[in-house]
Amino acid sequence: MHPFFNTTGKVFFLLFGWLVVSASVAALISITLDVDLLDSTVLVMPLYILLLIFIVPNYYACRGLPIRETPWLVLLGSHLLILGVGTGMWMLAGEAYSRLLDSFVEQARWVSIFERSLYINLSIVIIQFEIVALIHYLYLALEATKNLQQAALKQKLLISQAELQTLKATVHPHFLFNSLNTLSNITLSTPEAAHRFCLLIAEFLRYSVAYSKKNSAALSEELEHIQNYLGIERERFGDRLETSFEIDDSLLETKVPPLILFPVVENAIKHGIDSCIEGGLLAIVVREQEGSLVFEVRNPVDELGRKLKGTGHGLASVKQRLKTRHGEKALLKVERDNGTFIAKIYLPLSNEEEVLPE
Amino acid sequence: MNSESETKIRAIIVDDEPHARQGMERALSDFSDLVIVGICENGLQAVKVVNELQPDLIFLDIQMPKLDGFDVLELLGDQAPCVVFVTAYDEYAVQAFEANALDYLLKPLDPERLNKAMEKIRERIGSESSPQYTELLVGRERENELLQRILVRDGSDVHVLAVNSVCYIESADDYVAIHTEDATHIKLDRLGKLQDKLDPRQFCRIHRLCLLNINFLSRIETETKDSKIAILESGKELPISRSGYADLKKLL
């Protein structure tokens, strides 16, 4: 639906405008050519309603030929063509209409009025064609800004939802229960270890709460957070959890979305190490590859182990966050290879700003 | 063992977390009428130790790798001694324990609750009436979807079979014989019950006594007009009954 006709108010406003314009033109012709006002009105009014019908579809042409993206020659050519065809058709219609009028009366006069007023009519029609095109473009520009704002808002909402999800996942009740149990056991056996354990949990929670609201964090901070997490889980798992890190030090200051790497590590523990009777090695590698930061986590998984509910939820939320932040430039890849689970996060290393509205 | 320890309750602790095992051991050391005869790190060990030591009581953690507490219970079957379940957060498990009036403890351990549980256990072990755990497992099976693995116990050994590796299952009285490509396992179960838990698009009852994994089917041969034989990829031949053939045809 044409945006000028989508409410009755707009339609009335438009018709009123047209009435004023056509009445003025009728008066102008009547004065300059010294013809009867009634005669010029009878000729002009219906023809200008017709013009309205000719001009309005111009909107679709304007929409199809966006000013910024269309080469100016194409733009000019297209509009000249539309103008030529439009005015030509309108002229033919005017000629036909005035002949029709003349055929009803004894004293033919409208064909002569139409032909004599052609230069006035043509210039007004051309001006109107172009003014309407400008109005259309103005309208489209406004609309685009509005859409952009809406999209930005929507994305902001998406991101905050994902962020909330991360926070929720980070302080998952099961994690808290497990940690609490471990703590209650070590407070009795080794009070000093209990104190260290409390520090780890405090650091871990502090980071989770603070950084889930931030826009970016240094890779080094993220890795420290992951170390804290693994420190907590190491208490719980004992010998069942081994870890190894292989980090490209030149990447440590790279900015990454906060808490985007953590769910992959958590997933490796929950569904990997904890599925294996003997546990195993959780290996983390950070390296650069073709302009991307690659964060890789490898862990053993027992395919015949007890299946936990909710598998893959954490990873799905990582995927969504990567997509809202970086579009196609970031991704999460997972593969299973004979009892090994490998998850890789690719983040673009370029300095260009994220598609992230503040 | 002296005569005094004969009258003590012989218990084992099953938990995958080292601190939890120590914590439980410490808490139980307060009870002079209880002796800990074994500590297990996982379900596999638990089955083995119960089989070998025949304890009176298990403190059984629910969340464990590979075999959880319920799996252990299923594998032990009638051999299961008195069980006190231990769980940190399993909402479903707690509901099931409540519904079946079974003893359970929550982590972290509350000494008072442990005291109460021990009182109940003394009564129960004195009365020789072992509680029924089957109800608990039935409820759990309903909860689960299609079976992905089959647990079998051979004395102290536990085998976890991937359903996809099972060629066919034969029924023999109260047992089923589960044939994989390289071994046969005996399980105390009914073929019909097992069939209900397996994917009906993968397993077909080709005979009253045989459930076939159609992925291992090579071809069907007609021996006489009314008797057909399924030839497996391994060359093994299995008879197909008339209704079994109808089912099989529908599936293929």
Side-chain angles (χ1 to χ4, degrees), chain A residues 107-209:
Chain A
Q107 199 186 1
R109 51 186 181 272
W110 278 292
V111 173
S112 111
I113 297 178
F114 181 71
E115 279 167 4
R116 281 193 295 148
S117 68
L118 201 56
Y119 72 98
I120 299 177
N121 275 327
L122 265 186
S123 41
I124 289 170
V125 164
I126 289 170
I127 289 168
Q128 288 198 343
F129 244 98
E130 293 324 299
I131 286 178
V132 166
L134 279 179
I135 291 174
H136 280 150
Y137 275 122
L138 204 67
Y139 172 80
L140 285 171
L142 279 173
E143 199 61 356
T145 325
K146 215 164 84 187
N147 284 343
L148 214 65
Q149 275 171 343
Q150 253 172 11
L153 257 164
K154 208 169 149 190
Q155 199 184 21
K156 206 168 168 181
L157 194 71
L158 264 177
I159 289 176
S160 47
Q161 270 172 352
E163 237 89 287
L164 192 68
Q165 203 90 52
T166 318
L167 183 62
K168 268 197 204 149
T170 305
V171 286
H172 199 281
H174 287 194
F175 172 75
L176 283 182
F177 271 121
N178 285 333
S179 305
L180 214 59
N181 289 331
T182 310
L183 184 61
S184 83
N185 287 320
I186 42 184
T187 38
L188 293 175
S189 59
T190 41
E192 273 160 44
H195 181 69
R196 274 201 307 277
F197 191 74
C198 284
L199 291 181
L200 281 177
I201 294 184
E203 278 296 305
F204 176 83
L205 288 180
R206 208 180 343 262
Y207 190 86
S208 307
V209 172

Side-chain angles (χ1 to χ4, degrees), chain A residues 245-263:
Chain A
F245 285 83
E246 194 187 315
I247 313 291
D248 180 344
D249 285 346
S250 67
L251 295 170
L252 282 177
E253 292 312 309
T254 311
K255 293 285 178 204
V256 296
L259 300 173
I260 198 120
L261 311 176
F262 169 73

